[in-house]
Amino acid sequence: QGVGSGQGSGLGPGFGGALNAHAMLAGSPSKPEIAFEMKGKHLILPGEHHLASLSASGSLYHETVNYKMEAAGYQRKSEAQMQSLTLAIQGSRSRHELSAKAHLGNDAALDLHASGALADTAQGWRNVQWRGVISDLTATGPIPFRLLAATPATLGRERISLGKAEFSVAGGRAQLASTEWTPMSWNS
């Protein structure tokens, strides 16, 4: 069924703007059939976060995953943080491609390409991890860098890790044996 809100303030305190969303849920937990689409303009989120526009659509049909998102004009308080962001995921839950591009202020941009899979989801959606390989990570701007070779990565709610990685950074090189973040620590 569809869900729509012409005014985001109907979502609760601190929310504002126009958001329209439609979703279809069918199938079963083992063979889900999900599709959604949302569009928003002049969105305001708690903490003085502002987003000029948001467009997202996606589907999960059994194993097949397709997701696209575009956002523009992100500000926190009155400070511009991001001009635009695009994100796309295509493939299956067990093997998909991910690409993301962000254009920040001051002629800075970030480009990411990765492939991977969602780890065993039997433990519930809160414990899902993504495991894969980052094949391209490039930034332009004040401190340009580029990943020189593909590196393994794991992302989850309680842990983010990056395997051995070598970067070209502002005319030099940097190597990381491994990097790991948890809510309690940061190690590199």
Side-chain angles (χ1 to χ4, degrees), residues 19-188:
L19 177 65
N20 289 298
H22 301 277
M24 185 277 300
L25 306 171
S28 65
S30 62
K31 292 187 177 180
E33 297 175 14
I34 302 169
F36 77 94
E37 183 176 359
M38 68 169 28
K39 291 188 184 284
K41 289 194 181 248
H42 310 293
L43 300 174
I44 300 169
L45 303 170
E48 297 185 61
H49 297 274
H50 302 263
L51 192 58
S53 66
L54 173 67
S55 174
S57 63
S59 64
L60 172 60
Y61 185 77
H62 299 205
E63 273 289 306
T64 304
V65 176
N66 286 298
Y67 175 77
K68 291 180 183 177
M69 191 259 312
E70 294 181 5
Y74 170 62
Q75 293 183 319
R76 181 155 194 293
K77 298 186 178 179
S78 61
E79 190 175 322
Q81 302 288 318
M82 180 185 59
Q83 294 171 358
S84 65
L85 172 68
T86 60
L87 175 66
I89 301 171
Q90 193 168 30
S92 67
R93 290 192 288 180
S94 59
R95 187 75 181 148
H96 52 263
E97 300 292 320
L98 178 144
S99 64
K101 291 181 185 250
H103 292 279
L104 311 170
N106 301 326
D107 296 323
L110 186 65
D111 197 357
L112 168 78
H113 295 277
S115 59
L118 294 176
D120 182 17
T121 57
Q123 298 176 11
W125 67 270
R126 288 182 167 244
N127 297 312
V128 169
Q129 286 191 347
W130 180 87
R131 292 188 181 130
V133 173
I134 298 173
S135 57
D136 181 37
L137 179 58
T138 305
T140 59
I143 303 175
F145 66 84
R146 181 174 53 90
L147 181 66
L148 296 175
T151 186
T154 302
L155 286 82
R157 187 171 64 107
E158 298 289 324
R159 179 176 172 261
I160 298 173
S161 68
L162 184 65
K164 182 180 177 181
E166 185 175 2
F167 294 89
S168 168
V169 180
R173 286 186 177 225
Q175 292 181 337
L176 302 172
S178 67
T179 303
E180 180 175 86
W181 170 89
T182 68
M184 304 296 258
S185 68
W186 173 270
N187 297 304
S188 183

